[in-house]
Amino acid sequence: MIFNNTQPIFIQIADYVSELILRKELQSDQQIPSVRELAVKLEVNPNTVMRAFERLQQNEVVYNKRGLGYFVSQDAYEKILAQRKLKLFEDVLPAIYEEMALLDITDTEFLAHLKAYKKSMK
């Protein structure tokens, strides 16, 4: 994982775990890597990973079984999906439309490129 300078590392780690859940690499009630395992893998301080896990727990994406570790919540997938869609519609989409207006790109032109891109990803 390569970290960027735009967000705190613990948030990027929380997003990374969320993506694993969205990709269904982590399922409901499945144990996630331990704080130490993830810290070693990502080459970060274990306290940073702990902050990420606490954030995920506050958002009810993971839960802690004392002495066993953290596990994916039953409805984690749905919660993350709803959060990510909201972020897309409230943050990303307005930025796209501002750029489209600046570049004088029509909805039709944008949709044509979107469809071509989607087709190339298959």
Side-chain angles (χ1 to χ4, degrees), residues 66-105:
R66 213 175 226 350
L68 296 176
Y70 287 89
F71 293 78
V72 178
S73 298
Q74 283 287 328
D75 58 352
Y77 178 86
E78 291 79 12
K79 285 183 180 195
I80 296 167
L81 192 63
Q83 291 169 353
R84 294 286 288 267
K85 282 182 179 183
L86 185 63
K87 182 177 180 180
L88 176 76
F89 293 136
E90 290 184 350
D91 298 340
V92 178
L93 192 58
I96 290 171
Y97 270 96
E98 285 178 24
E99 191 72 10
M100 286 173 59
L102 182 65
L103 300 174
D104 198 28
I105 297 172

Side-chain angles (χ1 to χ4, degrees), residues 6 10 15 22 24 30 32 37 39 46 53 61 68 71-72 79 81 83 85 95 97 102-103 115:
T6 59
F10 79 95
D15 288 346
L22 282 178
K24 299 189 178 182
Q30 182 179 351
I32 65 175
E37 288 172 335
F53 285 7
V61 171
L68 296 176
F71 293 78
V72 178
K79 285 183 180 195
L81 192 63
Q83 291 169 353
K85 282 182 179 183
Y97 270 96
L102 182 65
L103 300 174
K115 287 177 183 177

Side-chain angles (χ1 to χ4, degrees), residues 27-78:
Q27 304 284 328
S28 294
D29 295 317
Q30 182 179 351
Q31 186 171 13
I32 65 175
S34 72
V35 170
R36 286 190 185 109
E37 288 172 335
L38 203 51
V40 168
K41 178 181 178 182
L42 300 177
E43 299 177 353
V44 298
N45 187 307
N47 291 330
T48 304
V49 175
M50 191 66 216
R51 286 183 68 194
F53 285 7
E54 287 170 354
R55 179 182 176 91
L56 290 167
Q57 189 173 12
Q58 286 173 347
N59 291 333
E60 299 176 347
V61 171
V62 299
Y63 62 93
N64 188 3
K65 284 187 180 179
R66 213 175 226 350
L68 296 176
Y70 287 89
F71 293 78
V72 178
S73 298
Q74 283 287 328
D75 58 352
Y77 178 86
E78 291 79 12

